[in-house]
mmCIF file of all heavy atoms in Angstrom:
data_model
loop_
_atom_site.group_PDB
_atom_site.id
_atom_site.type_symbol
_atom_site.label_atom_id
_atom_site.label_comp_id
_atom_site.label_asym_id
_atom_site.label_seq_id
_atom_site.Cartn_x
_atom_site.Cartn_y
_atom_site.Cartn_z
ATOM 1 N N GLN C 1 6.050 16.796 68.786
ATOM 2 C CA GLN C 1 5.750 18.116 68.222
ATOM 3 C C GLN C 1 5.993 19.216 69.257
ATOM 4 O O GLN C 1 6.480 20.295 68.912
ATOM 5 C CB GLN C 1 4.306 18.169 67.723
ATOM 6 C CG GLN C 1 4.081 17.386 66.461
ATOM 7 C CD GLN C 1 2.632 17.452 66.000
ATOM 8 O OE1 GLN C 1 1.742 17.936 66.695
ATOM 9 N NE2 GLN C 1 2.395 16.939 64.800
ATOM 10 N N ILE C 2 5.650 18.945 70.502
ATOM 11 C CA ILE C 2 5.898 19.925 71.566
ATOM 12 C C ILE C 2 7.394 20.161 71.703
ATOM 13 O O ILE C 2 7.847 21.313 71.779
ATOM 14 C CB ILE C 2 5.278 19.462 72.903
ATOM 15 C CG1 ILE C 2 3.752 19.439 72.802
ATOM 16 C CG2 ILE C 2 5.726 20.356 74.050
ATOM 17 C CD1 ILE C 2 3.051 18.794 73.990
ATOM 18 N N ALA C 3 8.186 19.099 71.706
ATOM 19 C CA ALA C 3 9.644 19.231 71.817
ATOM 20 C C ALA C 3 10.209 20.045 70.655
ATOM 21 O O ALA C 3 11.043 20.942 70.863
ATOM 22 C CB ALA C 3 10.288 17.848 71.871
ATOM 23 N N ARG C 4 9.751 19.748 69.426
ATOM 24 C CA ARG C 4 10.219 20.521 68.257
ATOM 25 C C ARG C 4 9.817 21.985 68.374
ATOM 26 O O ARG C 4 10.606 22.887 68.079
ATOM 27 C CB ARG C 4 9.670 19.931 66.963
ATOM 28 C CG ARG C 4 10.479 18.755 66.447
ATOM 29 C CD ARG C 4 10.087 18.338 65.040
ATOM 30 N NE ARG C 4 8.705 17.920 64.899
ATOM 31 C CZ ARG C 4 8.228 16.739 65.302
ATOM 32 N NH1 ARG C 4 9.011 15.868 65.894
ATOM 33 N NH2 ARG C 4 6.951 16.438 65.126
ATOM 34 N N PHE C 5 8.575 22.239 68.800
ATOM 35 C CA PHE C 5 8.083 23.607 68.971
ATOM 36 C C PHE C 5 8.973 24.353 69.972
ATOM 37 O O PHE C 5 9.422 25.468 69.704
ATOM 38 C CB PHE C 5 6.631 23.561 69.473
ATOM 39 C CG PHE C 5 5.992 24.907 69.648
ATOM 40 C CD1 PHE C 5 5.136 25.414 68.686
ATOM 41 C CD2 PHE C 5 6.208 25.668 70.797
ATOM 42 C CE1 PHE C 5 4.524 26.656 68.854
ATOM 43 C CE2 PHE C 5 5.605 26.905 70.970
ATOM 44 C CZ PHE C 5 4.765 27.398 69.991
ATOM 45 N N PHE C 6 9.237 23.745 71.130
ATOM 46 C CA PHE C 6 10.076 24.385 72.149
ATOM 47 C C PHE C 6 11.489 24.619 71.622
ATOM 48 O O PHE C 6 12.067 25.682 71.850
ATOM 49 C CB PHE C 6 10.112 23.540 73.427
ATOM 50 C CG PHE C 6 8.960 23.791 74.368
ATOM 51 C CD1 PHE C 6 7.673 24.050 73.918
ATOM 52 C CD2 PHE C 6 9.158 23.757 75.732
ATOM 53 C CE1 PHE C 6 6.624 24.281 74.787
ATOM 54 C CE2 PHE C 6 8.109 23.988 76.621
ATOM 55 C CZ PHE C 6 6.848 24.247 76.147
ATOM 56 N N ASP C 7 12.052 23.624 70.923
ATOM 57 C CA ASP C 7 13.404 23.776 70.374
ATOM 58 C C ASP C 7 13.462 24.912 69.362
ATOM 59 O O ASP C 7 14.367 25.751 69.403
ATOM 60 C CB ASP C 7 13.881 22.474 69.724
ATOM 61 C CG ASP C 7 14.167 21.376 70.740
ATOM 62 O OD1 ASP C 7 14.282 21.680 71.961
ATOM 63 O OD2 ASP C 7 14.245 20.201 70.320
ATOM 64 N N GLN C 8 12.494 24.965 68.444
ATOM 65 C CA GLN C 8 12.464 26.015 67.424
ATOM 66 C C GLN C 8 12.260 27.398 68.040
ATOM 67 O O GLN C 8 12.805 28.383 67.552
ATOM 68 C CB GLN C 8 11.363 25.736 66.403
ATOM 69 C CG GLN C 8 11.645 24.556 65.517
ATOM 70 C CD GLN C 8 10.445 24.159 64.665
ATOM 71 O OE1 GLN C 8 9.353 24.701 64.791
ATOM 72 N NE2 GLN C 8 10.653 23.175 63.803
ATOM 73 N N ALA C 9 11.479 27.471 69.111
ATOM 74 C CA ALA C 9 11.202 28.755 69.760
ATOM 75 C C ALA C 9 12.280 29.129 70.781
ATOM 76 O O ALA C 9 12.244 30.221 71.339
ATOM 77 C CB ALA C 9 9.828 28.711 70.435
ATOM 78 N N GLY C 10 13.212 28.232 71.060
ATOM 79 C CA GLY C 10 14.263 28.507 72.032
ATOM 80 C C GLY C 10 13.774 28.472 73.475
ATOM 81 O O GLY C 10 14.334 29.128 74.343
ATOM 82 N N VAL C 11 12.737 27.698 73.736
ATOM 83 C CA VAL C 11 12.156 27.601 75.078
ATOM 84 C C VAL C 11 12.971 26.613 75.903
ATOM 85 O O VAL C 11 13.122 25.448 75.520
ATOM 86 C CB VAL C 11 10.675 27.162 75.002
ATOM 87 C CG1 VAL C 11 10.106 26.904 76.379
ATOM 88 C CG2 VAL C 11 9.866 28.218 74.261
ATOM 89 N N THR C 12 13.510 27.085 77.028
ATOM 90 C CA THR C 12 14.350 26.230 77.874
ATOM 91 C C THR C 12 13.912 26.184 79.340
ATOM 92 O O THR C 12 14.394 25.335 80.083
ATOM 93 C CB THR C 12 15.814 26.712 77.834
ATOM 94 O OG1 THR C 12 15.866 28.067 78.295
ATOM 95 C CG2 THR C 12 16.390 26.617 76.420
ATOM 96 N N HIS C 13 13.028 27.076 79.773
ATOM 97 C CA HIS C 13 12.652 27.160 81.184
ATOM 98 C C HIS C 13 11.286 26.571 81.516
ATOM 99 O O HIS C 13 10.927 26.496 82.683
ATOM 100 C CB HIS C 13 12.663 28.625 81.640
ATOM 101 C CG HIS C 13 13.999 29.270 81.535
ATOM 102 N ND1 HIS C 13 14.320 30.133 80.510
ATOM 103 C CD2 HIS C 13 15.101 29.161 82.298
ATOM 104 C CE1 HIS C 13 15.560 30.543 80.662
ATOM 105 N NE2 HIS C 13 16.063 29.962 81.742
ATOM 106 N N LEU C 14 10.516 26.181 80.518
ATOM 107 C CA LEU C 14 9.141 25.744 80.762
ATOM 108 C C LEU C 14 9.005 24.224 80.687
ATOM 109 O O LEU C 14 9.631 23.591 79.843
ATOM 110 C CB LEU C 14 8.192 26.382 79.729
ATOM 111 C CG LEU C 14 8.100 27.901 79.774
ATOM 112 C CD1 LEU C 14 7.288 28.409 78.588
ATOM 113 C CD2 LEU C 14 7.484 28.357 81.086
ATOM 114 N N PRO C 15 8.141 23.660 81.559
ATOM 115 C CA PRO C 15 7.876 22.223 81.462
ATOM 116 C C PRO C 15 7.005 21.928 80.245
ATOM 117 O O PRO C 15 6.331 22.815 79.723
ATOM 118 C CB PRO C 15 7.122 21.924 82.765
ATOM 119 C CG PRO C 15 6.486 23.218 83.134
ATOM 120 C CD PRO C 15 7.403 24.304 82.639
ATOM 121 N N ARG C 16 7.019 20.691 79.808
ATOM 122 C CA ARG C 16 6.256 20.285 78.620
ATOM 123 C C ARG C 16 5.004 19.519 79.029
ATOM 124 O O ARG C 16 4.917 18.309 78.893
ATOM 125 C CB ARG C 16 7.134 19.448 77.696
ATOM 126 C CG ARG C 16 8.291 20.269 77.155
ATOM 127 C CD ARG C 16 9.204 19.458 76.284
ATOM 128 N NE ARG C 16 10.274 20.335 75.810
ATOM 129 C CZ ARG C 16 11.323 19.910 75.174
ATOM 130 N NH1 ARG C 16 11.473 18.631 74.900
ATOM 131 N NH2 ARG C 16 12.241 20.764 74.780
ATOM 132 N N TYR C 17 4.023 20.267 79.509
ATOM 133 C CA TYR C 17 2.753 19.665 79.917
ATOM 134 C C TYR C 17 1.789 19.621 78.738
ATOM 135 O O TYR C 17 1.848 20.470 77.842
ATOM 136 C CB TYR C 17 2.106 20.480 81.035
ATOM 137 C CG TYR C 17 2.857 20.463 82.343
ATOM 138 C CD1 TYR C 17 3.149 21.654 82.996
ATOM 139 C CD2 TYR C 17 3.246 19.274 82.950
ATOM 140 C CE1 TYR C 17 3.815 21.652 84.210
ATOM 141 C CE2 TYR C 17 3.911 19.268 84.160
ATOM 142 C CZ TYR C 17 4.195 20.457 84.790
ATOM 143 O OH TYR C 17 4.856 20.464 85.992
ATOM 144 N N GLN C 18 0.884 18.650 78.777
ATOM 145 C CA GLN C 18 -0.144 18.575 77.747
ATOM 146 C C GLN C 18 -1.451 18.053 78.341
ATOM 147 O O GLN C 18 -1.464 17.387 79.372
ATOM 148 C CB GLN C 18 0.295 17.716 76.571
ATOM 149 C CG GLN C 18 0.393 16.237 76.865
ATOM 150 C CD GLN C 18 0.917 15.463 75.675
ATOM 151 O OE1 GLN C 18 2.017 14.956 75.755
ATOM 152 N NE2 GLN C 18 0.157 15.371 74.612
ATOM 153 N N ASP C 19 -2.529 18.436 77.678
ATOM 154 C CA ASP C 19 -3.882 18.024 78.056
ATOM 155 C C ASP C 19 -4.571 17.577 76.775
ATOM 156 O O ASP C 19 -5.356 18.316 76.188
ATOM 157 C CB ASP C 19 -4.615 19.197 78.716
ATOM 158 C CG ASP C 19 -6.070 18.904 79.044
ATOM 159 O OD1 ASP C 19 -6.419 17.720 79.228
ATOM 160 O OD2 ASP C 19 -6.853 19.862 79.116
ATOM 161 N N GLU C 20 -4.221 16.375 76.336
ATOM 162 C CA GLU C 20 -4.742 15.890 75.062
ATOM 163 C C GLU C 20 -6.267 15.808 75.053
ATOM 164 O O GLU C 20 -6.912 16.100 74.061
ATOM 165 C CB GLU C 20 -4.142 14.531 74.721
ATOM 166 C CG GLU C 20 -4.453 14.096 73.315
ATOM 167 C CD GLU C 20 -3.656 12.879 72.878
ATOM 168 O OE1 GLU C 20 -2.730 12.459 73.582
ATOM 169 O OE2 GLU C 20 -3.986 12.361 71.807
ATOM 170 N N SER C 21 -6.854 15.449 76.180
ATOM 171 C CA SER C 21 -8.314 15.319 76.262
ATOM 172 C C SER C 21 -9.013 16.669 76.390
ATOM 173 O O SER C 21 -10.225 16.748 76.282
ATOM 174 C CB SER C 21 -8.696 14.455 77.467
ATOM 175 O OG SER C 21 -8.354 15.132 78.672
ATOM 176 N N GLN C 22 -8.270 17.706 76.641
ATOM 177 C CA GLN C 22 -8.772 19.074 76.839
ATOM 178 C C GLN C 22 -9.706 19.189 78.043
ATOM 179 O O GLN C 22 -10.513 20.110 78.120
ATOM 180 C CB GLN C 22 -9.464 19.593 75.574
ATOM 181 C CG GLN C 22 -8.539 19.709 74.401
ATOM 182 C CD GLN C 22 -9.232 20.216 73.167
ATOM 183 O OE1 GLN C 22 -10.311 19.764 72.800
ATOM 184 N NE2 GLN C 22 -8.600 21.172 72.503
ATOM 185 N N ARG C 23 -9.583 18.280 79.004
ATOM 186 C CA ARG C 23 -10.457 18.318 80.179
ATOM 187 C C ARG C 23 -10.249 19.584 80.997
ATOM 188 O O ARG C 23 -11.206 20.232 81.382
ATOM 189 C CB ARG C 23 -10.223 17.089 81.059
ATOM 190 C CG ARG C 23 -10.845 15.836 80.489
ATOM 191 C CD ARG C 23 -10.677 14.645 81.380
ATOM 192 N NE ARG C 23 -11.370 14.861 82.644
ATOM 193 C CZ ARG C 23 -11.051 14.240 83.771
ATOM 194 N NH1 ARG C 23 -10.069 13.379 83.806
ATOM 195 N NH2 ARG C 23 -11.724 14.491 84.869
ATOM 196 N N ILE C 24 -8.997 19.934 81.258
ATOM 197 C CA ILE C 24 -8.758 21.121 82.082
ATOM 198 C C ILE C 24 -9.124 22.386 81.305
ATOM 199 O O ILE C 24 -9.697 23.317 81.861
ATOM 200 C CB ILE C 24 -7.326 21.169 82.659
ATOM 201 C CG1 ILE C 24 -7.220 22.297 83.705
ATOM 202 C CG2 ILE C 24 -6.281 21.300 81.587
ATOM 203 C CD1 ILE C 24 -5.975 22.256 84.547
ATOM 204 N N ALA C 25 -8.839 22.418 80.016
ATOM 205 C CA ALA C 25 -9.199 23.584 79.199
ATOM 206 C C ALA C 25 -10.715 23.782 79.193
ATOM 207 O O ALA C 25 -11.211 24.885 79.423
ATOM 208 C CB ALA C 25 -8.663 23.427 77.779
ATOM 209 N N ARG C 26 -11.460 22.708 78.943
ATOM 210 C CA ARG C 26 -12.924 22.814 78.963
ATOM 211 C C ARG C 26 -13.429 23.162 80.358
ATOM 212 O O ARG C 26 -14.360 23.960 80.506
ATOM 213 C CB ARG C 26 -13.554 21.512 78.469
ATOM 214 C CG ARG C 26 -13.503 21.348 76.973
ATOM 215 C CD ARG C 26 -14.403 20.214 76.485
ATOM 216 N NE ARG C 26 -14.261 18.981 77.233
ATOM 217 C CZ ARG C 26 -13.468 17.963 76.903
ATOM 218 N NH1 ARG C 26 -12.735 18.045 75.816
ATOM 219 N NH2 ARG C 26 -13.416 16.873 77.632
#
């Protein structure tokens, strides 16, 4: 989903990081 989102938005310079557990966000 992240890859599709980046492709649809034309994002080419950003890494595809994720925090599924939301530990860093919390």
Side-chain angles (χ1 to χ4, degrees):
Q1 287 179 351
I2 294 171
R4 277 191 300 284
F5 182 100
F6 275 37
D7 290 345
Q8 290 171 355
V11 174
T12 59
H13 298 102
L14 297 172
R16 296 178 180 171
Y17 293 130
Q18 70 184 112
D19 175 25
E20 190 169 351
S21 67
Q22 297 180 314
R23 284 183 63 204
I24 190 167
R26 283 193 313 265

